[in-house]
């Protein structure tokens, strides 16, 4: 396509991609969707390219490309070449250019004060959650998390997640085994189990005491580096690893801020925003996030009792 390549400027990009402007980067289109497309960079990383007005996710760039869905104006196909340069160069094999320079970078997020309650998130999740994927067990999951109710026998994936959560909560050193039993379970580009674990990891990084979160997040990071791509998709493995490092999407962090401040309307709005991720991914991520937030509240209460 070369001479008809799309040119756009990058408005914002994730902190994990801060090296894009330092050197010429290129990649290949590896997945095309209504609001975005994935690019497999030549160095092995996967990034997501969004148009104007779309929310950025970890390992994503947000461009000034205009238009309806899809936002690009020429046919893109898997295998087309995408270039990320500080200035626009004429390259015959280019199908899509992204110019980078002087743009906003989403900085790595900081941990937040622990929420005083997980009831707000549960209520918001009940109102906005989708019944797709593991969301069909949403009501049972909320009762399990907040009241220790037994999950239905048919909820096989969630029962595996339950085992992982209990392992993490106990501080046992076999978190790796729990990840082996869960990562990659479910369907989709980011399988359901991965979305739930991602939510759990995000809340751990944001809210758990340092001594509690390190065992889980360090094990998750090692697992993704060692066995992750054997157990799940490359993009899902990358998402899990980024979350373990505290690199979160804007909506997840806004929801966390609202929870830490106890702002009901903001919690509801933030939950609705996160749930918009995909068909079921947003709901499943929030299910994991709810479990992690409730664990954070319990950790805080146990430390207060110990200090008292």
């Amino acid at each position: 396509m070369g001479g008809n390549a799309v040119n756009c400027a990058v408005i914002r990009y994730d902190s994990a991609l801060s090296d894009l402007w330092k050197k010429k980067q290129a990649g290949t289109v590896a997945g095309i969707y209504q609001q975005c497309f994935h690019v497999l960079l030549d160095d092995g990383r996967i990034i997501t390219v969004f148009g104007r007005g779309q929310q950025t996710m970890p390992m994503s760039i947000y461009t000034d490309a205009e238009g309806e869905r899809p936002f690009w104006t020429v046919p893109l196909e898997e295998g087309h070449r995408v270039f990320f340069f500080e200035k626009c160069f004429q390259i015959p094999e280019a199908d899509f250019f992204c110019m980078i320079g002087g743009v906003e970078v989403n900085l790595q997020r900081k941990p937040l004060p622990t929420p005083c309650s997980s009831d707000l998130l549960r209520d918001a999740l009940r109102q906005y959650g989708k019944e797709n994927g593991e969301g069909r067990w949403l009501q049972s999951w909320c009762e399990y998390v907040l009241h220790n109710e037994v999950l239905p026998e048919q909820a096989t994936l969630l029962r595996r997640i339950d085992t992982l959560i209990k392992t993490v909560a106990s501080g046992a050193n076999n978190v790796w085994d729990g990840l082996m039993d869960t990562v990659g379970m479910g369907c989709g580009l980011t399988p359901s189990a991965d979305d739930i674990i991602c939510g759990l990891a995000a809340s751990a990084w944001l809210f758990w005491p340092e001594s509690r979160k390190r065992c889980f997040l360090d094990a998750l990071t090692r697992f993704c580096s060692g066995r992750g791509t054997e157990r799940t998709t490359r993009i899902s493995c990358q998402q899990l690893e980024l979350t373990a490092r505290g690199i979160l999407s804007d909506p997840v962090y806004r929801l966390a801020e609202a929870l830490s401040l106890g702002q009901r309307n903001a919690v509801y709005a933030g939950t609705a925003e996160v749930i918009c991720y995909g068909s079921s991914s947003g709901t499943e991520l929030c299910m994991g996030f709810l479990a992690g937030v409730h664990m954070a509240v319990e950790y805080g209460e146990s430390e207060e009792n110990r200090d008292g």
Side-chain angles (χ1 to χ4, degrees):
M1 188 179 346
N4 297 319
V6 174
N7 294 294
C8 68
V10 176
I11 297 173
R12 186 169 70 245
Y13 58 89
D14 185 76
S15 60
L17 296 172
S18 59
D19 64 333
L20 276 181
W21 63 272
K22 297 178 182 177
K23 54 184 178 179
K24 299 174 183 177
Q25 292 271 13
T28 303
V29 176
I32 303 173
Y33 307 91
Q34 285 188 319
Q35 298 181 4
C36 63
F37 60 90
H38 295 310
V39 177
L40 174 61
L41 293 179
D42 293 343
D43 65 10
R45 292 178 295 174
I46 298 175
I47 69 172
T48 307
V49 180
F50 289 89
R52 182 184 295 277
Q54 304 299 336
Q55 287 293 343
T56 55
M57 297 284 287
M59 294 296 283
S60 65
I61 64 174
Y62 168 71
T63 73
D64 66 353
E66 298 278 7
E68 301 298 324
R69 302 179 189 174
F71 67 82
W72 47 92
T73 55
V74 297
L76 273 182
E77 300 176 3
E78 292 195 8
H80 279 176
R81 294 291 286 170
V82 180
F83 289 80
F84 303 90
F85 288 164
E86 192 171 6
K87 298 179 180 178
C88 185
F89 295 89
Q90 294 301 316
I91 297 181
E93 66 269 28
D95 298 301
F96 199 98
F97 277 114
C98 288
M99 291 185 293
I100 301 174
V103 299
E104 175 189 348
V105 180
N106 289 345
L107 299 177
Q108 186 164 319
R109 304 306 195 178
K110 302 296 183 185
L112 295 167
T114 303
C116 60
S117 171
S118 42
D119 293 344
L120 262 181
L121 181 56
R122 174 204 58 194
D123 295 343
L125 189 51
R126 281 175 169 172
Q127 178 164 336
Y128 295 109
K130 299 176 183 177
E131 295 184 358
N132 302 330
E134 295 306 300
R136 66 189 184 277
W137 305 111
L138 179 58
Q139 299 300 328
S140 297
W141 180 259
C142 290
E143 293 302 311
Y144 153 74
V145 170
L146 271 71
H147 303 297
N148 205 28
E149 296 287 339
V150 177
L151 289 164
E153 288 189 12
Q154 304 94 315
T156 308
L157 188 154
L158 294 183
R159 290 171 73 91
R160 293 257 192 111
I161 295 288
D162 166 48
T163 301
L164 173 63
I165 287 175
K166 287 175 179 174
T167 300
V168 171
S170 70
N173 59 5
N174 59 336
V175 174
W176 180 286
D177 295 336
L179 293 171
M180 283 290 291
D181 287 340
T182 51
V183 170
M185 286 188 70
C187 302
L189 191 62
T190 55
S192 297
D194 299 6
D195 289 326
I196 297 171
I197 295 170
C198 195
L200 182 68
S203 56
W205 194 90
L206 287 163
F207 297 126
W208 292 7
E210 189 68 24
S211 59
R212 293 281 189 172
K213 70 182 179 185
R214 283 276 56 94
C215 176
F216 173 42
L217 298 184
D218 288 351
L220 181 57
T221 300
R222 291 195 306 273
F223 181 86
C224 290
S225 299
R227 301 292 299 276
T229 54
E230 300 174 16
R231 307 293 299 181
T232 189
T233 64
R234 180 182 289 187
I235 194 165
S236 188
C237 178
Q238 180 176 266
Q239 185 90 340
L240 286 167
E241 189 169 11
L242 287 169
T243 303
R245 290 165 46 199
I247 299 175
L248 311 172
S249 62
D250 294 342
V252 170
Y253 193 76
R254 282 197 291 271
L255 172 58
E257 284 185 311
L259 280 167
S260 68
L261 297 172
Q263 297 174 335
R264 182 180 184 278
N265 290 342
V267 168
Y268 273 60
T271 303
E273 191 176 18
V274 174
I275 282 174
C276 288
Y277 296 169
S279 174
S280 61
S281 290
T283 298
E284 291 160 348
L285 189 151
C286 282
M287 289 167 69
F289 200 69
L290 173 65
V293 167
H294 190 65
M295 291 167 73
V297 171
E298 291 186 331
Y299 291 153
E301 290 174 350
S302 65
E303 290 192 358
E304 285 179 7
N305 293 336
R306 183 189 65 197
D307 294 342

